[in-house]
């Protein structure tokens, strides 16, 4: 019998696999993904010159004025249509006046010479495209319109030709994202709900009234929701209809540019919450069944319907859809000077099942037949394009599945995002607050949840975002204060329930920031414990704006406890900035004392001490520290300025015990008061 020769398994070729040995069986899948991307990029380069040149569909399609041709050119991609006609107030909405001619590749075109139309088709003119298909005819909104406006009486949306005589004058040429945002401290915001009055706020109001608050609070990055045009205000901006239009309900495109320009002038980067995961199903306002084929931009039949979101799903494998979405990435970066994107709904894109009812318990979930390879290719193209256009561009993925490599470079086997959202952390906080009294919070489980993330992939930590505050749930402050949020918020009110809520709100936010990632996010108003939930005007609440606004006066009032939370958040963010805390390696546990309810850890040379005990303050409590020396208090949640009881002298300098020539590790002896967080740093550092 011949003797068998044992062959050692081949060494991993990808850096991602070398970093994570559990990925080795799936390296062929990762290599195939890389190869497919290379082939697609080669194909794009062959026919279009480059990826950036390919991402210019918005410059070719839609309505544009051509000085060279001396008129207006309108083009639309609709291969399944029978005929198209441009209609608007410039031709009395006559669908026989300006028919389009069919060109190659399903593109239609009409030319309107200046001699006839210069005085009729002007800045502010409204228009649509009349689309005739084998199943009927409808007036539709052009796919690449730059502005959509709604008629106050009919509530009907129309495209609006937007070409001001004077273009917006940018003054942000010196702004550099990398300088402004060494570590992202993100302020997630919705322009419409940023005013205290019961109405829709504007881009300019946000720029003039809210940006100064954000700057003063120390955040260096604004993440804007609901900018892409959406017909239903109550969708929070996630049922997008017009992908190249900034929502007109908040103002003009120039108003949005003013906001971003002002943010850059204040040293604040601006991210767009981009929605490429799905689109509104409305035909009157959106792209659904645009040419009558049933699958122009979206998959046909059931695959084109999201089971949970009641929306349409893009066909990422179709080249024209890739080009549409890639052009959208380029458009927002160049036209509006956005500094990056938070990609919404990435989990839904990554898998055919969209993450619905699936527990991601093993690597087979990521690389098996459930993975949508077309969507993964699109995301790789999108991250490649964004970083080619803007190397400093920040790309954040909203993914709850934990796909390995999502936030690693493509060359390593990844998808190319820079950060992922730590979606498990806010869910854990809500679960604890709903089901477990804080005296029984399992600190070991809490530490695991806060620190359990993929090594080498940067994470955005947050205690709550807009998701946790939507109607049907409540803000963290409301979970904590409960009815006290209405009755016991006077600064001098000694109510013990309110004192508990005030203390835990600070502990939750600080431990999340300090342990949860390499970036941090806060939702607008939550920095001062904004009360209650978020609910946009709808039939179910009699179209009320009561919960779709931010009550800044609560946080500004020194007679209310909200301002204590605002003070603490500002101090916490300031400490993170000054110490470059989020750039430091992951937090390292120093002591886990379940009996006394104390967690102690180190990050960036700072020592964090959290006493979660409801009633037990610990005098002369021994705290292990990384090195011997002298330490001072940098932040104390029990400080009176933060609504605490001021039980610890901030001027005390603490000398370590042990260490040096002894065998005993260095430690500090501290007075650790109940429901208090302390941050200490070495003197002189």
């Amino acid at each position: 019998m011949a003797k068998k020769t044992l062959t050692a398994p081949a060494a991993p070729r990808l850096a991602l696999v070398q970093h994570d040995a559990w990925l080795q069986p799936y390296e062929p899948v990762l290599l195939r993904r890389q190869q497919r991307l290379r082939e697609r990029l080669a194909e794009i380069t062959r026919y279009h010159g480059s990826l950036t040149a390919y991402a210019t569909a918005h410059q070719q399609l839609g309505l544009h004025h051509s000085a060279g041709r001396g008129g207006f050119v309108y083009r639309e991609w609709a291969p399944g249509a029978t005929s198209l006609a441009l209609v608007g107030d410039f031709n009395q909405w006559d669908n026989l006046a300006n028919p389009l001619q069919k060109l190659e590749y399903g593109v239609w075109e009409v030319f309107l010479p200046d001699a006839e139309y210069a005085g009729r088709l002007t800045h502010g003119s409204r228009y649509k495209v009349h689309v005739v298909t084998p199943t009927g005819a409808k007036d539709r909104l052009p796919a690449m319109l730059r502005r959509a406006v709604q008629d106050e009486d009919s509530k009907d949306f129309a495209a609006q030709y937007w070409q001001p005589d004077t273009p917006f004058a940018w003054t942000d040429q010196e702004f550099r994202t990398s300088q402004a945002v060494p570590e992202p401290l993100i302020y997630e915001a919705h322009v419409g709900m940023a005013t205290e009055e019961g109405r829709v706020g504007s881009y300019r109001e946000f720029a003039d009234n809210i940006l100064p608050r954000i700057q003063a609070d120390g955040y260096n990055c604004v993440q804007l929701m609901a900018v892409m045009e959406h017909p239903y205000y109550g969708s929070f901006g996630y049922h997008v209809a017009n992908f190249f239009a900034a929502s007109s309900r908040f103002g003009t495109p120039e108003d949005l540019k003013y906001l971003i320009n002002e943010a850059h002038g204040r040293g604040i980067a601006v991210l767009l919450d981009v929605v490429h995961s799905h689109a509104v199903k409305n035909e009157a306002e959106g792209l659904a069944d645009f040419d009558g084929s049933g699958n122009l931009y979206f998959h046909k039949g059931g695959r084109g319907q999201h089971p949970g979101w009641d929306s349409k799903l893009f066909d990422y494998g179709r080249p024209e859809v890739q080009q549409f979405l890639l052009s959208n990435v380029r458009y927002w970066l160049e036209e509006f000077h956005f500094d990056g994107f938070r990609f919404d709904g990435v989990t839904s894109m990554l898998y055919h099942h969209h993450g619905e009812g699936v527990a991601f318990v093993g690597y087979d979930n990521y690389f098996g037949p459930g993975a949508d390879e077309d969507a993964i290719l699109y995301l790789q193209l999108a991250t490649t394009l964004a970083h080619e256009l803007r190397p400093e561009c920040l790309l954040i993925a909203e993914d709850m599945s934990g796909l390995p490599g999502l936030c690693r470079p493509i060359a390593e086997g990844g998808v190319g995002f820079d950060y992922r959202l730590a979606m498990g952390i806010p869910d854990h906080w809500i679960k604890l607050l709903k089901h477990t009294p804080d005296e029984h919070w399992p600190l070991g489980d809490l530490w695991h949840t806060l620190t359990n993330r993929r090594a080498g992939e940067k994470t955005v930590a947050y205690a709550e975002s807009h998701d946790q505050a939507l109607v049907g749930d409540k803000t963290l402050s409301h979970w904590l204060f409960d009815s006290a949020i209405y009755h016991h918020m006077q600064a001098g009110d000694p109510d013990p329930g309110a004192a508990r809520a005030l203390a835990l709100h600070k502990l939750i936010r600080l431990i999340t920031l300090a342990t949860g990632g390499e970036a941090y996010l806060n939702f607008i108003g939550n920095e001062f414990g904004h009360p209650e939930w978020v609910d946009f005007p709808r039939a179910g609440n009699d179209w009320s704006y009561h919960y779709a606004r931010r009550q800044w006066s609560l946080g500004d009032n020194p007679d209310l406890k909200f301002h204590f939370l605002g003070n603490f958040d500002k101090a916490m963010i300031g400490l993170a900035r000054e110490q470059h805390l989020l750039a430091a390696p992951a937090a390292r546990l120093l002591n886990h004392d379940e009996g006394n309810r104390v967690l102690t850890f180190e990050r960036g040379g700072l020592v964090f001490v959290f006493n979660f005990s409801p009633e037990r303050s610990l005098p002369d409590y021994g705290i292990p520290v990384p090195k011997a020396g002298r330490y001072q208090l940098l932040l104390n949640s029990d400080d009176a300025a933060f609504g605490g009881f001021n039980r610890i002298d901030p001027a005390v300098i603490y000398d370590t015990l042990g260490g040096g020539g002894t065998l005993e590790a260095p430690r500090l002896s501290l007075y650790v008061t109940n429901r208090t967080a302390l941050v200490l740093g070495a003197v002189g550092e």
Side-chain angles (χ1 to χ4, degrees), residues 14 16-17 23-24 26-36 367 380 403-405 410 412-415:
L14 292 174
L16 188 64
V17 180
L23 281 170
Q24 189 152 356
Y26 307 97
E27 187 172 33
V29 178
L30 296 170
L31 290 169
R32 282 197 300 271
R33 290 176 180 176
Q34 278 191 334
Q35 180 60 25
R36 192 178 182 206
F367 304 106
Q380 290 177 316
L403 174 68
I410 290 170
E412 296 183 5
V415 181

Side-chain angles (χ1 to χ4, degrees), residues 18 53 76 93 174 179 193 200 217 221 231 250 398 479 512 541 543 557:
Q18 293 174 15
E76 195 71 64
W93 301 93
E174 300 300 316
Q179 295 175 8
M193 63 180 291
V200 178
D217 288 344
C221 201
F250 309 132
E398 187 206 28
W479 277 112
T512 298
N541 65 16
W543 303 103
N557 191 338

Side-chain angles (χ1 to χ4, degrees), residues 438 477-485 487-489 493-505 561 645 675:
D438 61 282
S477 68
H478 201 175
W479 277 112
L480 287 162
F481 283 98
D482 197 37
S483 62
I485 210 163
H487 307 298
H488 296 288
M489 296 306 288
D493 190 322
D495 179 70
R500 166 193 176 272
L502 194 72
L504 289 178
H505 193 275
K561 292 174 181 174
F645 297 100
R675 286 189 178 133

Side-chain angles (χ1 to χ4, degrees), residues 12 221 303 355 635:
C221 201
R303 191 178 174 193
L635 185 64

Side-chain angles (χ1 to χ4, degrees), residues 198-225:
R199 59 179 176 82
V200 178
S202 72
Y203 295 123
R204 285 189 175 264
E205 287 176 314
F206 189 94
D208 294 340
N209 302 329
I210 310 306
L211 285 179
R213 291 179 176 273
I214 297 170
Q215 181 185 22
D217 288 344
Y219 291 89
N220 56 25
C221 201
V222 174
Q223 180 178 297
L224 289 182
M225 308 172 62

Side-chain angles (χ1 to χ4, degrees), residues 374-674:
D374 289 342
I376 292 167
L377 174 61
Y378 164 67
L379 289 172
Q380 290 177 316
L381 288 167
T383 59
T384 299
L385 172 69
H387 285 135
E388 281 187 8
L389 291 168
R390 295 276 299 277
E392 298 180 341
C393 183
L394 295 173
L395 302 178
I396 301 171
E398 187 206 28
D399 170 44
M400 49 73 63
S401 75
L403 174 68
L406 183 66
C407 303
R408 293 303 303 169
I410 290 170
E412 296 183 5
V415 181
F417 284 95
D418 301 308
Y419 294 85
R420 67 164 77 242
L421 292 174
M423 300 181 72
I425 293 177
D427 289 346
H428 190 74
W429 285 124
I430 292 291
K431 184 176 72 173
L432 283 177
L433 292 173
K434 281 183 177 180
H435 303 297
T436 309
D438 61 282
E439 59 266 27
H440 298 309
W441 286 357
L443 298 187
D445 287 351
L446 176 60
W447 176 259
H448 175 76
T449 300
L450 289 168
T451 59
N452 181 30
R453 57 186 183 273
R454 293 202 173 275
E457 298 196 40
K458 293 181 180 179
T459 298
V460 180
Y462 59 109
E464 59 183 328
S465 69
H466 71 275
D467 281 328
Q468 284 68 46
L470 288 174
V471 63
D473 213 322
K474 300 186 293 189
T475 62
L476 285 187
S477 68
H478 201 175
W479 277 112
L480 287 162
F481 283 98
D482 197 37
S483 62
I485 210 163
Y486 304 114
H487 307 298
H488 296 288
M489 296 306 288
Q490 289 294 320
D493 190 322
D495 179 70
R500 166 193 176 272
L502 194 72
L504 289 178
H505 193 275
K506 293 177 285 185
L507 267 62
I508 286 171
R509 301 180 94 73
L510 179 59
I511 198 170
T512 298
L513 180 149
T515 64
E518 292 70 38
Y520 177 74
L521 178 143
N522 166 71
F523 180 61
I524 180 172
N526 290 160
E527 68 275 10
F528 62 85
H530 203 284
E532 306 169 318
W533 51 86
V534 175
D535 188 14
F536 285 89
R538 57 188 174 88
N541 65 16
D542 199 25
W543 303 103
S544 170
Y545 286 89
H546 184 72
Y547 297 108
R549 61 195 180 103
R550 298 285 90 176
Q551 299 178 68
W552 303 107
S553 60
L554 297 178
D556 293 341
N557 191 338
D559 294 327
L560 297 179
K561 292 174 181 174
F562 296 103
H563 95 280
F564 291 137
L565 298 178
N567 290 346
F568 181 77
D569 194 84
K570 184 174 182 179
M572 177 183 77
I573 295 296
L575 178 70
R577 287 187 68 142
E578 180 183 335
Q579 300 290 331
H580 291 286
L581 179 65
L582 297 174
R588 179 167 59 96
L589 187 64
L590 298 175
N591 186 42
H592 169 203
D593 184 349
E594 200 76 44
N596 285 311
R597 318 292 297 141
V598 175
L599 279 176
T600 307
F601 57 90
E602 175 273 335
R603 189 174 185 189
L606 304 182
V607 176
F608 295 79
V609 184
F610 284 79
N611 182 352
F612 285 95
S613 174
E615 75 289 325
R616 186 181 302 170
S617 296
L618 304 168
D620 300 322
Y621 187 76
I623 300 291
V625 293
K627 62 180 182 179
R630 313 191 80 200
Y631 286 77
Q632 60 186 339
L633 199 57
L634 301 180
L635 185 64
N636 171 18
S637 70
D638 194 54
D639 193 293
F642 310 141
F645 297 100
N646 222 27
R647 291 170 287 177
I648 301 173
D649 185 350
V652 172
I653 299 297
Y654 300 92
D655 291 295
T656 55
L657 306 171
T662 72
L663 296 176
E664 187 180 1
R667 70 186 189 280
L668 294 173
S669 180
L670 303 177
Y671 179 33
V672 183
T673 53
N674 66 306

